[in-house]
Amino acid sequence: MARLRDYWPRLTGALRALLFWTLVYGYCGLCASVHLLKLLWSIGRGPGQTFQRLVRENPPACLNDPSLGTHCYVRIKDSGLRFHYVAAGERGKPLMLLLHGFPEFWYSWRHQLREFKSEYRVVALDLRGYGETDAPSHQESYKLDCIVVDIKDILDSLGYSKCVLIGHDWGGMIAWLIAICYPELVTKLVVINFPHPNVFTEYILWHPSQLIRSGYYFFFQMPWFPEFMFTINDFKALKYLFTSQRTGIGKKGCRLTPEDLEAYVYVFSQPGALTGPINHFRNIFSCLPLKYHKVTTPTLLLWGERDAFMDVEMAEVTRIYVKSHFRLTILSEASHWLQQDQPDIVNKLIWTFLKEEMRKNE
């Protein structure tokens, strides 16, 4: 009996791991089957249209709009990767670093680049594997600890020791991790439509509604097939994410212009442009939950209530992990793409949060 008690914690741990990975790969197979049926249905309705894909050689003019800032590149010493970013505002001003989500790139921050350049050096980054940033070929190169070190090294390469850090969606996940692992680098944290990583892990496993909303996390564990599904019907799935009634931008706010949408399609239609971004997700289940989870940085969490991918209940639960000033604002009728959907309101809320913290520090 004593020997059984000694082995019991190890046995229960092994059983929990078995159940966890059974859930992950079982749901992965289910999601893959659903997408395979969608593919077969599309082929049945029109095989020529299914495999049609326009060649996009030249970027839309909006990607070179000088009002958004200057296109720059920085090479990190440790990894040797070259990162692309767009910077607005004078050098020497406090740094505001913007981290985009999926499937996005620096352009998702166009409204914030224009807004905050008056008082900040605003840098909108293309994350590892996205856009014009280098994309390592190995899946292991996209583990969360690698991405976190990227951000730390980029700050150093830009000549800054700290920043206001703002992240949306997957960029929000990274922003949380930076604040947890390197709190000295972040003066203020703003996260848009992504909960604390531990809250996300718990909800995705124990709440069926969030499990369904997060089906793409599981589907992305498949090799090559997710990339292929994004390309059919000339990137119809990508366009759907930003324009549909269920998931798109503009229910009660701004709408993507045709040129904006073409900018997204142009970037992700380049050869191999989807593999790096999806590789970020192919490592997530081996990285969560976190061993260390407390956030000691003043934090603003903004949330679009009509988010099709994230349960709004996770926003309130996040509060327990922030041990500093925490403000949560939930915007009704707003989508997952909050900083593009309602940029004026988002920018005002960020200004209020930053000015409030400045007054506290004076």
Side-chain angles (χ1 to χ4, degrees):
M1 185 65 68
R3 294 184 65 182
L4 180 60
R5 283 199 301 267
D6 293 339
Y7 284 106
W8 184 250
R10 190 180 302 175
L11 179 61
T12 55
L15 287 172
R16 290 176 65 183
L18 177 62
L19 289 171
F20 174 76
W21 288 110
T22 299
L23 171 63
V24 169
Y25 287 112
Y27 195 38
C28 170
L30 175 62
C31 293
S33 300
V34 170
H35 282 86
L36 180 60
L37 289 174
K38 289 181 178 179
L39 174 61
L40 294 174
W41 174 258
S42 179
I43 293 173
R45 294 184 63 185
Q49 185 178 358
T50 297
F51 300 107
Q52 178 186 13
R53 194 182 313 170
L54 297 178
V55 177
R56 295 172 171 86
E57 296 180 352
N58 300 312
C62 62
L63 294 182
N64 292 307
D65 183 348
S67 72
L68 296 178
T70 305
H71 290 260
C72 307
Y73 301 86
V74 61
R75 189 172 297 277
I76 295 178
K77 293 180 181 179
D78 288 347
S79 68
L81 298 178
R82 190 184 77 154
F83 282 77
H84 168 253
Y85 64 92
V86 172
E90 297 176 10
R91 296 178 185 271
K93 288 183 177 180
L95 178 65
M96 176 181 285
L97 185 60
L98 308 174
L99 308 179
H100 63 80
F102 174 90
E104 297 175 287
F105 62 114
W106 71 266
Y107 189 69
S108 68
W109 298 109
R110 58 197 176 279
H111 303 292
Q112 289 68 44
L113 283 162
R114 293 190 182 103
E115 176 70 22
F116 294 100
K117 65 183 180 181
S118 60
E119 294 190 24
Y120 289 90
R121 175 69 168 172
V122 188
V123 170
L125 189 68
D126 275 344
L127 294 172
R128 177 184 290 219
Y130 283 84
E132 295 183 55
T133 291
D134 286 348
S137 57
H138 296 294
Q139 179 179 318
E140 292 74 17
S141 299
Y142 295 87
K143 288 184 176 180
L144 283 169
D145 54 353
C146 296
I147 312 302
V148 168
V149 172
D150 281 347
I151 307 306
K152 178 178 180 293
D153 290 345
I154 285 168
L155 254 69
D156 185 59
S157 298
L158 294 175
Y160 285 89
S161 60
K162 56 186 177 181
C163 69
V164 172
L165 186 60
I166 304 181
H168 167 250
D169 183 69
W170 186 255
M173 163 77 86
I174 298 166
W176 282 116
L177 295 177
I178 292 289
I180 292 167
C181 300
Y182 300 104
E184 70 279 4
L185 300 182
V186 186
T187 57
K188 284 95 183 175
L189 175 66
V190 180
V191 179
I192 302 174
N193 280 77
F194 202 94
H196 185 284
N198 278 11
V199 175
F200 178 70
T201 304
E202 292 165 6
Y203 264 70
I204 202 172
L205 291 176
W206 302 111
H207 292 74
S209 62
Q210 185 56 48
L211 188 67
I212 294 170
R213 289 171 185 249
S214 301
Y216 63 99
Y217 278 79
F218 296 85
F219 177 53
F220 287 171
Q221 305 309 306
M222 298 283 293
W224 71 264
F225 189 43
E227 289 94 320
F228 173 73
M229 286 299 295
F230 265 100
T231 68
I232 66 172
N233 295 301
D234 194 36
F235 296 88
K236 181 179 179 180
L238 181 64
K239 297 171 186 175
Y240 178 89
L241 285 174
F242 291 112
T243 61
S244 73
Q245 281 291 108
R246 189 179 76 86
T247 66
I249 294 171
K251 294 182 178 71
K252 294 289 184 178
C254 292
R255 291 188 180 275
L256 285 185
T257 67
E259 190 177 36
D260 291 334
L261 184 59
E262 184 59 26
Y264 282 94
V265 179
Y266 168 79
V267 166
F268 288 103
S269 66
Q270 301 307 301
L274 282 161
T275 299
I278 293 177
N279 274 342
H280 281 257
F281 295 88
R282 289 178 171 136
N283 293 286
I284 187 171
F285 293 111
S286 62
C287 300
L288 297 175
L290 305 175
K291 292 181 180 179
Y292 307 102
H293 52 254
K294 291 183 179 179
V295 178
T296 57
T297 303
T299 301
L300 171 66
L301 178 59
L302 301 177
W303 204 279
E305 190 173 25
R306 295 299 181 89
D307 190 330
F309 309 104
M310 295 285 169
D311 195 320
V312 69
E313 291 182 4
M314 293 191 290
E316 185 60 44
V317 180
T318 290
R319 185 184 302 273
I320 65 175
Y321 289 99
V322 181
K323 306 305 177 183
S324 182
H325 173 69
F326 177 78
R327 172 169 291 183
L328 167 64
T329 300
I330 299 173
L331 301 181
S332 62
E333 303 300 327
S335 72
H336 176 75
W337 321 101
L338 189 56
Q339 80 275 22
Q340 300 181 73
D341 191 343
Q342 299 194 8
D344 293 340
I345 297 174
V346 167
N347 292 346
K348 184 178 180 180
L349 289 168
I350 294 174
W351 274 127
T352 300
F353 173 69
L354 296 177
K355 298 294 185 182
E356 177 184 75
E357 287 301 307
M358 287 178 185
R359 288 194 294 271
K360 285 184 178 181
N361 294 331
E362 289 175 354

